[in-house]
């Protein structure tokens, strides 16, 4: 049996509010004639120190007085560990949260490798993906997610007084040898 990894794609979901041991792995094994070859692909997210995530990575809902937001931004930092069979991966990323949470958010920016990639609001609970994050070499890459908040919001608390950020948002990476959305 022969399998090809030409269009190998790996996905990684990071639950920003509550996560532990987040990873994605994919591999292929080919046998032809008298030769055996293997390819492996993985994406891991580790904490800022490079250690396995053992506690939730969190960001807080913005502070506000009534409908006026008094906090302009919040930042989450971690590291992305990519092993793309020793080569480069092409990445996309997107963010998921309850639709009402997006009313707080002006924009979310992913910073990796000295470049910024913007998440635009999407429909329902998913933000539109970032533009292609090209040629991420196998290795460890620090990244930040910066949440920029709107100045004001409508009254967003339910009648029980629960904050709308109580639902777990998640952050997803997709990686491929080519643009993971072109497969």
């Amino acid at each position: 049996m022969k399998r090809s990894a030409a269009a190998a794609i790996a996905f990684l979901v990071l639950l920003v509010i509550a996560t532990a041991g987040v990873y994605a792995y994919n591999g292929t094994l080919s046998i032809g004639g008298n030769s055996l070859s293997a390819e492996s692909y993985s994406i891991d997210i580790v904490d800022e120190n490079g250690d396995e995530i053992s506690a939730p990575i969190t960001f807080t809902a913005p502070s506000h007085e009534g409908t006026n937001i008094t906090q302009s931004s919040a930042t989450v930092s971690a590291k992305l560990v990519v092993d793309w069979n020793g080569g480069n991966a092409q990445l996309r990323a997107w963010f998921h949260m309850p639709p009402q949470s997006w009313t707080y958010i002006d924009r979310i920016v992913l910073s990796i490798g000295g470049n910024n990639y913007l998440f635009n609001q999407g429909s329902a609970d998913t933000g539109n993906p970032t533009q292609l994050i090209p040629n991420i070499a196998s290795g460890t890459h620090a990244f930040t997610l910066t949440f920029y908040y709107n100045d004001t919001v409508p009254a967003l608390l339910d009648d029980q007084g629960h904050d709308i950020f109580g639902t777990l948002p998640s952050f997803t990476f997709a990686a491929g040898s080519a643009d993971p959305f072109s497969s």
Side-chain angles (χ1 to χ4, degrees):
M1 170 171 31
K2 183 175 180 180
R3 292 179 16 168
S4 172
I9 296 176
F11 289 93
L12 173 68
V13 175
L14 167 65
L15 294 177
V16 177
I17 296 299
T19 184
V22 189
Y23 56 87
Y25 293 100
N26 187 8
T28 64
L29 178 65
S30 300
I31 302 172
N34 293 330
S35 65
L36 175 69
S37 65
E39 294 179 345
S40 65
Y41 306 93
S42 67
I43 307 170
D44 289 293
I45 292 182
V46 295
D47 68 17
E48 291 179 278
N49 298 320
D51 299 324
E52 180 179 319
I53 297 172
S54 60
I57 294 176
T58 62
F59 76 98
T60 57
S63 302
H64 57 89
E65 295 175 11
T67 60
N68 294 319
I69 295 179
T70 58
Q71 178 181 349
S72 62
S73 66
T75 300
V76 173
S77 298
K79 291 183 179 178
L80 181 66
V81 181
V82 177
D83 181 0
W84 210 256
N85 204 40
N88 292 340
Q90 314 306 312
L91 303 178
R92 294 276 188 161
W94 61 97
F95 204 84
H96 311 270
M97 5 184 217
Q100 65 272 24
S101 298
W102 283 106
T103 60
Y104 273 99
I105 305 294
D106 177 54
R107 66 192 181 283
I108 302 171
V109 177
L110 167 68
S111 298
I112 187 168
N115 295 302
N116 294 326
Y117 302 92
L118 180 66
F119 293 89
N120 292 313
Q121 291 187 14
S123 59
D125 67 340
T126 304
N128 289 322
T130 60
Q131 66 193 67
L132 183 67
I133 305 167
N135 301 318
I136 299 296
S138 291
T140 302
H141 307 274
F143 73 89
T144 60
L145 289 171
T146 304
F147 302 83
Y148 293 95
Y149 299 122
N150 289 315
D151 293 332
T152 61
V153 291
L156 293 176
L157 300 179
D158 66 25
D159 59 3
Q160 300 298 313
H162 297 114
D163 195 3
I164 57 141
F165 278 83
T167 304
L168 297 176
S170 64
F171 172 68
T172 303
F173 276 110
S177 300
D179 184 346
F181 288 174
S182 66
S183 299

